[in-house]
């Protein structure tokens, strides 16, 4: 089983490199490191273990494989939810654009630009609904996400009279709660809110909106590079598990 040490080292090195990159791929890096450690330990212990020990290792390997398959299935379900229902979104009473990262120079990140394009599509199809731009200022961001989205949308030709800024939130739950307060949405009220965010983020956003008693409809932006989509979907899978455990 020493042959397993080569892929284990590759996974470990790839995970470390990704962790050192100035991106939001940390979860992917941690998973690769974990897989590398598991492979390395399995390869080392298998050659030293007796019959009973090898049976235990195979059992653990099967359980680990089942866990990976389960995680991949969960990620696929998350992505499947990320579709736009324009028939319902066109009739929504209001909309919330969930913020994304801001570059060090104060311009929208790739993910934010994709969400802004979806916001413009919404504003063209729904001519009346007010739109909340939601996102505070992260520790490494020069301005709040809401302010950056506002400036970018004005450059795209959005009507400033329809835009409302929410600049205090630091996570998705706060995005939704603070925006609902600005819009005057009551829990379990009749109004429908369009949630504009990335396809990988839609499922958790809808789950949290439901927890707040909001009636929501998805407007999903398209993540155009597969490695971004895989990484962020992986993050969302763990975030949904955390939210479920915290009963948020």
């Amino acid at each position: 089983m020493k042959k397993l040490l080569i892929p284990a080292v590759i996974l470990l090195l790839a995970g470390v490199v990704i962790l050192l990159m100035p991106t939001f791929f940390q979860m992917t890096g941690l998973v690769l490191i974990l897989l590398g450690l598991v492979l390395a330990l399995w390869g080392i212990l298998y050659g030293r273990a007796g019959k009973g020990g090898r049976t235990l290792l195979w059992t653990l390997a099967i359980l680990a494989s089942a866990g990976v398959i389960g995680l991949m299935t969960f990620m696929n379900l998350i992505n499947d939810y990320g579709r736009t229902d324009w028939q319902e979104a066109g009739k929504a009473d209001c909309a919330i654009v969930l913020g994304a990262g801001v570059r060090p120079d104060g311009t929208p990140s790739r993910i934010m630009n994709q969400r802004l394009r979806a916001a413009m599509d919404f504003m063209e199809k729904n001519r009346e609904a007010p739109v909340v731009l939601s996102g505070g200022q992260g520790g490494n961001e020069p301005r709040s996400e809401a302010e950056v989205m506002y400036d970018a949308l004005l450059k795209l030709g959005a009507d400033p009279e329809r835009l409302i800024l929410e600049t205090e939130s630091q996570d998705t739950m706060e995005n939704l709660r603070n925006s609902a307060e600005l819009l005057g949405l009551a829990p379990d009220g009749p109004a429908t809110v369009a949630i504009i965010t990335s396809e990988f983020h839609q499922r958790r956003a809808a789950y949290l909106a439901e927890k707040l008693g909001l009636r929501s409809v998805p407007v999903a932006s398209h993540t155009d590079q597969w490695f971004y989509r895989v990484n962020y979907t992986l993050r969302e899978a763990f975030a949904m598990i955390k939210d479920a455990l915290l009963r948020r």
Side-chain angles (χ1 to χ4, degrees), residues 18-20 41 77 87 102 117 122 137 149 158 194 225 230:
I18 289 175
L19 280 179
L20 295 176
L41 289 173
L77 291 174
Q87 184 174 357
V102 175
R117 284 195 288 271
F122 171 82
Q137 182 176 353
M149 288 192 289
Q225 293 189 338
V230 170

Side-chain angles (χ1 to χ4, degrees), residues 7-22:
V9 170
I10 293 173
L11 288 171
L12 286 169
L13 289 176
V16 171
V17 169
I18 289 175
L19 280 179
L20 295 176
M21 293 173 63

Side-chain angles (χ1 to χ4, degrees), residues 109-121:
S109 63
R110 188 184 196 92
I111 298 296
M112 180 182 284
N113 274 321
Q114 291 160 357
R115 294 182 186 181
L116 294 177
R117 284 195 288 271
M120 287 298 298
D121 288 341

